[in-house]
Amino acid sequence: MASNLLPIPFRRTHSVSLSDAMKQYISNKYDQQPNMFKEDLSLIDQLRSDAVTSLEAHSSGIRKLSAYAAQLVWIGGKFPIDIGVEFSWYPALGFNTQRPVSQHNLRFELANILFNLAALYSQLALALNRSTSEGLKAASNYFCQAAGVLVYLRNDIVPELGGTQPEDMDSITLESLEQLMLAQAQECSWSMAVKNGYKDALISRLAAKVSDFYDQATEFATRSDIISTDSIHHMTAKHHHFAAAAQYRAACDCLEKRKYGEEVARLRDSLACVNEALKESRWINKTVLGDLNGLKIKVAEDLKRAEKDNDIIYLMPVPPKSELKTLDRAGMAIARKPTEICDPATSLGDHGVFGQPLFARLVPYAVHVAASTYSGRKEVIVNNTIDELEGLTNKMRDLLQSLNLPGSLQALEKPLGLPLSIKSHAEEVRQQQGLHMLRRSMHDINSLKSNDVATYEEGVGLLRLEATENEKTMRKHGTERWTRPTSQQAGEKLYNQVGEIDGYLKSADNSDELVKTKLKECEDALKVLEGTERDLEEYVPSSRRAVMPAKVEREASRLRNVLNEVHQLESRRRRKIESLREKLKEDDINPVLLAETARLEREFPMQKIEPGQFETLFDKRLERYNDDRVMVSNEREDQDSITLRLQEADLAFVSVRRGDTSTREREQALQRLENAYQKYKEILVNLETGRKFYNELAIMVNRFRDECREFRYQRRTEAGQLEADLSNAMSALNIAQNNNLQEQKQRETLRSHYNVKAPNKDPMPAPIPQRAPVPPPPTQGTWTPEVGIKFGGPVPLPPNSGNLHNPTYPNTRGSQLRGSQWEPNAGIRFG
């Protein structure tokens, strides 16, 4: 039997294994073993299986759906929304209920479970016996709970989905369903008031609120692309129905208060509302139509009685509708949000109705995010400090190179043989296999770069191929029917990554060329350094031994002392850099984060942990690096002081040796070897940086390529579905056109049968009926063809004659008006 209320249909899904995806994610992303959560993994699959199979109106489904939803809300703080499992759900409303919508999103799963919970509440309400007050009260409660679930879904869950939202879960559609549930809850309260014989004034206010809810539901439904037209007609009819009911009950209240003129006005408005509702009679079910017809009969009878009484007895003026006071409202339906789901603390735990929360021992995902955030911040601070220290060192080396130091001093102090610093540099280069190691490292980096470029180009090629496929399909179907977003619009994130990665590669090319230039500049000197001792001695010419004047010796000693300070400064700085790296490595915030997380979970049970809750802890923890900033400032001051003294000492040294060219060639050779060694050390650092960069880029381009593959697959699948829909639509259109043509031909045939046009020639004369002779002679008052047809006075017809408005057929009751039976031998009498 059709109901006068509407349920929400269920959404359907396929079975998936949450436990496998969670186990894999825990193994890959967390520092905990999946075996620790073996029981939880088994329970989550069982909860989902129970929830997605609860597709009938039975109260046991409430617990199954609510328990799974509460656990999903809880584990939302433990896992990210994408754990690598695809959830596919079929829409419950609209035109694509046979096409599943898929997302890698735990919130999408939760949204569908909540939608089905609202659907279950609505169907439970319809399954109740609403002929009793208890049944009506329970039904109203179910509808209010359904509305509350929809409110929670619309306000708290759907906005967090991100990306493309399901078409039957847009805010307009959910708002319409919410108002519909409230309208039906209010209608149950109205029915209960009528059944219990409450006063007409209260019943009128309840009915007016029902009409308001249906009006709002209709308003949102007409703006939705999903709500069916039949449902819109139903809600429209109900809106006018309860507007009529409200005015009717208000009229009854006016009768009781002897406001006879207002009674007539409200009854007239009630009848107008009923007639407005009956305009939807073609699209509403028989139950709703029967309610409307019953109300119309009752209103019409009371209006007839009220008008007669007022016209004859009371003679009160009937106010126009514009002067009638607006009816008050009495709202009984309120959306009740599911607190056992919104706040899992009320349903999970030692005393919770849904048992213990799953994965309670798993460190929340937000803690991992917080740890990563802190690690990034401390690395930025330490790396910036190291970069500043190394920048100071490079600045000092540039100064020494510009002053031709220490080569000029070494040539003077040791005119024969090799200085100890050059010997140590040469030994270091030999042990590290100098040029061979540099070339091998550059070859390895080029291989990494080639792999990164190939992976990147593969991803770009997939995007281009997808764009070409989409362009061909769009040209095939036309832009009017092929309305899906372009490749650039749908894959905006990927196309932005194309430019981003291309910029990284170009910047890396420039850095690689710079390293090659450095190596080319110092390659000859490095060959000498990694050569034999004899090669070094032949490369560095000896100068004639000369006795240094006291003045030159004094300035040389002064310069040597300053250079020793420079070397000490560099050595101290290297130790500080190593100390900073060790400090960065040993700074493990995980124990502190876990302790803080335990405190938060203890003091605020079931509260979702967010990374922002650790900001105060971060600030306090990062204060340990403030001393390093002070240290950099001190290093800069010390270097500025040494630089000033070095420049003064070198100026004095050059002044006392002005005109002495005996050691110039030796100075230049020693300085070239010193510069080559410093370049060698720089290149080693550059190559290590390049290796690290291309390894990190490999992760980025691999992810980019995989996302491009997934994007192309999804777009191809979407295109195939869209083409199938277009093909089905065209087939349906052809069938509809054929049916329309057939119907048109049938109508033309019927029209030609009943509406034959007369030919152009003279009309055919009507046939003269041939009657059998009647044996008895005609009596007076009996019609004969010879006397023609004569009409007498009008014949009174009985009331409620069924054919008064159908001139096509004769009135078959006319012969019974005189109370006698017609006999063929009596002829036909008129008048």
Side-chain angles (χ1 to χ4, degrees):
M1 179 179 177
S3 173
N4 61 347
L5 302 177
L6 295 180
I8 300 175
F10 287 113
R11 295 171 69 90
R12 296 175 294 108
T13 185
H14 300 300
S15 60
V16 297
S17 178
L18 265 178
S19 60
D20 291 343
M22 288 181 169
K23 184 187 302 182
Q24 187 68 28
Y25 196 89
I26 293 172
S27 177
N28 294 339
K29 301 295 184 180
Y30 296 154
D31 295 331
Q32 296 169 275
Q33 293 298 321
N35 292 334
M36 297 172 57
F37 311 101
K38 185 176 181 180
E39 184 177 353
D40 293 342
L41 291 169
S42 176
L43 285 174
I44 194 68
D45 278 343
Q46 185 62 45
L47 284 172
R48 185 179 196 275
S49 177
D50 292 343
V52 300
T53 54
S54 299
L55 300 180
E56 58 182 15
H58 195 280
S59 58
S60 62
I62 297 176
R63 178 182 176 85
K64 296 176 181 178
L65 288 165
S66 299
Y68 182 48
Q71 293 288 0
L72 285 177
V73 173
W74 159 253
I75 66 176
K78 300 285 187 177
F79 291 94
I81 60 174
D82 185 1
I83 58 173
V85 60
E86 183 179 61
F87 300 101
S88 298
W89 285 85
Y90 291 86
L93 304 171
F95 306 99
N96 298 313
T97 55
Q98 301 303 316
R99 182 197 299 175
V101 178
S102 302
Q103 289 190 22
H104 294 77
N105 193 328
L106 279 173
R107 286 291 180 180
F108 177 68
E109 171 84 345
L110 175 59
N112 285 278
I113 293 297
L114 290 173
F115 189 95
N116 274 4
L117 180 59
L120 177 60
Y121 279 131
S122 71
Q123 296 189 28
L124 284 172
L126 265 70
L128 291 172
N129 179 13
R130 299 193 305 280
S131 62
T132 64
S133 297
E134 292 77 11
L136 287 169
K137 183 177 180 180
S140 177
N141 182 58
Y142 277 142
F143 281 129
C144 289
Q145 288 179 298
V149 173
L150 292 170
V151 170
Y152 177 57
L153 174 61
R154 176 171 58 88
N155 294 337
D156 298 326
I157 304 303
V158 172
E160 296 180 1
L161 290 181
T164 305
Q165 297 177 352
E167 60 181 8
D168 58 346
M169 284 191 190
D170 63 287
S171 60
I172 299 299
T173 301
L174 293 178
E175 183 76 24
S176 177
L177 295 177
E178 173 194 337
Q179 295 299 321
L180 175 62
M181 294 299 104
L182 291 174
Q184 296 182 158
Q186 182 78 11
E187 183 175 349
C188 291
S189 298
W190 170 84
S191 298
M192 188 164 53
V194 173
K195 182 173 293 292
N196 293 335
Y198 289 176
K199 291 185 177 181
D200 291 320
L202 176 59
I203 296 176
S204 173
R205 292 197 295 270
L206 291 171
K209 190 61 179 177
V210 176
S211 178
D212 290 346
F213 278 132
Y214 275 117
D215 184 38
Q216 293 173 14
T218 305
E219 180 183 352
F220 286 109
T222 54
R223 292 162 54 191
S224 170
D225 296 329
I226 302 303
I227 304 297
S228 67
T229 54
D230 288 343
S231 298
I232 294 175
H233 288 304
H234 171 91
M235 290 183 280
T236 303
K238 292 286 240 178
H239 160 58
H240 294 300
H241 178 187
F242 280 93
Q247 291 290 10
Y248 174 73
R249 288 290 178 168
C252 294
D253 183 60
C254 290
L255 175 61
E256 183 179 351
K257 296 177 180 178
R258 300 181 179 182
K259 299 178 181 179
Y260 304 110
E262 183 178 346
E263 177 197 9
V264 173
R266 292 196 180 278
L267 287 172
R268 288 174 180 174
D269 188 40
S270 177
L271 186 60
C273 291
V274 171
N275 290 331
E276 193 69 26
L278 286 173
K279 293 180 180 179
E280 312 291 335
S281 59
R282 292 177 54 191
W283 300 280
I284 58 180
N285 62 46
K286 294 180 179 179
T287 304
V288 178
L289 184 59
D291 292 343
L292 285 172
N293 287 327
L295 178 60
K296 181 178 181 179
I297 293 172
K298 182 63 175 174
V299 172
E301 290 176 353
D302 284 9
L303 176 60
K304 183 177 180 180
R305 184 264 313 154
E307 288 179 334
K308 180 178 179 181
D309 290 348
N310 192 56
D311 291 343
I312 298 175
I313 303 173
Y314 306 115
L315 303 176
M316 287 189 177
V318 179
K321 181 179 179 180
S322 58
E323 295 181 5
L324 290 177
K325 179 185 175 182
T326 303
L327 296 178
D328 294 330
R329 267 65 173 165
M332 300 297 292
I334 300 175
R336 298 188 181 95
K337 295 179 68 172
T339 54
E340 69 277 7
I341 299 175
C342 307
D343 183 11
T346 60
S347 57
L348 299 177
D350 294 334
H351 305 289
V353 295
F354 300 145
Q356 294 294 331
L358 301 182
F359 304 99
R361 294 177 297 164
L362 183 67
V363 177
Y365 176 72
V367 176
H368 293 271
V369 174
S372 177
T373 301
Y374 177 78
S375 178
R377 291 183 186 179
K378 71 179 183 180
E379 286 180 3
V380 169
I381 293 175
V382 172
N383 289 334
N384 287 341
T385 303
I386 292 175
D387 289 344
E388 291 188 37
L389 292 175
E390 291 180 343
L392 291 174
T393 301
N394 292 332
K395 185 178 180 181
M396 178 60 74
R397 288 174 181 173
D398 292 339
L399 176 61
L400 291 175
Q401 184 176 351
S402 66
L403 298 177
N404 202 23
L405 292 173
S408 60
L409 189 59
Q410 289 174 343
L412 181 64
E413 292 177 338
K414 190 174 180 58
L416 299 175
L418 296 173
L420 290 177
S421 61
I422 295 298
K423 288 183 179 181
S424 65
H425 294 343
E427 184 64 23
E428 181 181 348
V429 173
R430 289 193 202 104
Q431 289 180 356
Q432 296 177 353
Q433 295 183 344
L435 284 172
H436 177 69
M437 183 189 65
L438 293 180
R439 293 193 179 103
R440 186 176 64 248
S441 297
M442 294 179 73
H443 178 268
D444 293 342
I445 289 175
N446 284 332
S447 298
L448 289 174
K449 177 181 178 180
S450 299
N451 292 335
D452 290 350
V453 171
T455 305
Y456 165 70
E457 290 178 348
E458 182 181 354
V460 174
L462 289 170
L463 290 180
R464 290 173 180 167
L465 187 58
E466 190 281 326
T468 302
E469 293 172 349
N470 183 67
E471 186 69 23
K472 289 181 179 178
T473 314
M474 185 172 63
R475 286 199 299 266
K476 175 182 176 183
H477 295 283
T479 55
E480 292 186 358
R481 286 184 295 171
W482 197 256
T483 56
R484 73 171 184 165
T486 63
S487 300
Q488 287 75 12
Q489 292 172 338
E492 182 179 2
K493 178 182 176 182
L494 292 176
Y495 279 89
N496 290 337
Q497 288 185 21
V498 171
E500 182 181 353
I501 296 175
D502 185 62
Y504 290 153
L505 290 173
K506 289 180 179 178
S507 176
D509 284 338
N510 295 333
S511 299
D512 293 342
E513 290 300 323
L514 181 61
V515 173
K516 291 178 182 178
T517 302
K518 287 183 180 180
L519 179 59
K520 188 175 181 180
E521 290 174 351
C522 65
E523 186 174 7
D524 293 338
L526 283 178
K527 288 180 181 178
V528 175
L529 281 175
E530 69 177 1
T532 62
E533 191 84 13
R534 185 173 180 178
D535 294 335
L536 277 173
E537 291 176 351
E538 290 179 354
Y539 183 79
V540 180
S542 300
S543 59
R544 59 184 176 83
R545 185 180 298 274
V547 178
M548 286 188 292
K551 191 175 182 180
V552 173
E553 186 175 358
R554 183 176 64 253
E555 296 300 332
S557 176
R558 177 188 173 192
L559 181 59
R560 170 55 63 187
N561 290 335
V562 179
L563 283 176
N564 288 338
E565 291 184 28
V566 171
H567 295 322
Q568 292 172 4
L569 178 66
E570 291 182 352
S571 298
R572 184 182 68 202
R573 193 169 289 163
R574 282 195 296 270
R575 290 193 300 270
K576 288 184 177 180
I577 289 175
E578 290 302 321
S579 175
L580 280 172
R581 288 179 175 144
E582 285 297 322
K583 183 179 179 179
L584 177 65
K585 185 178 180 181
E586 294 173 357
D587 185 9
D588 184 11
I589 198 175
N590 288 329
V592 182
L593 282 177
L594 292 177
E596 180 67 11
T597 301
R599 184 189 68 81
L600 291 173
E601 290 181 340
R602 183 174 59 255
E603 296 181 3
F604 308 99
M606 303 301 178
Q607 180 182 8
K608 184 178 180 180
I609 303 297
E610 298 289 349
Q613 294 173 288
F614 303 100
E615 286 297 328
T616 304
L617 176 63
F618 291 167
D619 294 339
K620 185 176 181 180
R621 183 89 174 182
L622 292 173
E623 288 178 358
R624 61 176 58 193
Y625 296 101
N626 291 343
D627 294 340
D628 299 327
R629 305 301 304 166
V630 176
M631 179 265 293
V632 171
S633 179
N634 294 335
E635 286 288 322
R636 185 178 290 106
E637 292 178 0
D638 292 345
Q639 179 160 316
D640 291 341
S641 176
I642 293 175
T643 298
L644 182 60
R645 287 187 280 117
L646 178 64
Q647 289 173 336
E648 292 175 353
D650 180 72
L651 181 60
F653 177 71
V654 172
S655 298
V656 297
R657 293 194 65 226
R658 184 172 288 114
D660 184 6
T661 60
S662 59
T663 61
R664 179 169 298 175
E665 292 182 3
R666 183 176 176 83
E667 291 175 12
Q668 293 174 352
L670 291 173
Q671 191 62 39
R672 282 196 297 270
L673 293 176
E674 181 69 25
N675 293 342
Y677 174 76
Q678 298 300 334
K679 290 286 186 182
Y680 170 74
K681 301 294 286 186
E682 288 181 13
I683 292 172
L684 286 178
V685 174
N686 295 150
L687 291 177
E688 183 61 30
T689 303
R691 182 182 291 106
K692 182 179 179 182
F693 166 78
Y694 283 115
N695 283 328
E696 292 176 351
L697 185 63
I699 298 174
M700 179 184 294
V701 295
N702 279 319
R703 184 170 62 247
F704 168 73
R705 180 198 55 195
D706 294 342
E707 290 177 354
C708 290
R709 283 177 178 169
E710 180 67 19
F711 173 70
R712 185 185 176 220
Y713 173 76
Q714 291 179 352
R715 292 278 286 179
R716 292 183 72 180
T717 303
E718 178 185 312
Q721 293 175 344
L722 187 56
E723 284 193 293
D725 291 345
L726 289 175
S727 177
N728 293 336
M730 292 300 296
S731 300
L733 180 61
N734 291 334
I735 293 173
Q737 288 177 345
N738 292 334
N739 291 337
N740 289 337
L741 289 175
Q742 292 177 1
E743 291 178 2
Q744 185 176 359
K745 290 179 180 178
Q746 292 175 359
R747 285 196 298 270
E748 290 177 354
T749 302
L750 291 173
R751 190 179 298 113
S752 62
H753 180 74
Y754 291 106
N755 237 349
V756 180
K757 292 185 178 180
N760 294 331
K761 61 183 181 179
D762 294 337
M764 180 183 296
I768 300 175
Q770 302 293 326
R771 299 183 181 273
V774 181
T779 59
Q780 186 177 3
T782 302
W783 175 82
T784 59
E786 291 79 12
V787 299
I789 298 175
K790 297 181 180 179
F791 294 92
V795 179
L797 296 177
N800 299 326
S801 179
N803 294 323
L804 291 177
H805 301 288
N806 193 346
T808 307
Y809 302 96
N811 193 327
T812 56
R813 294 184 180 180
S815 59
Q816 302 176 10
L817 297 178
R818 302 181 185 273
S820 60
Q821 185 175 1
W822 176 77
E823 296 294 340
N825 56 5
I828 301 176
R829 300 178 180 178
F830 294 90

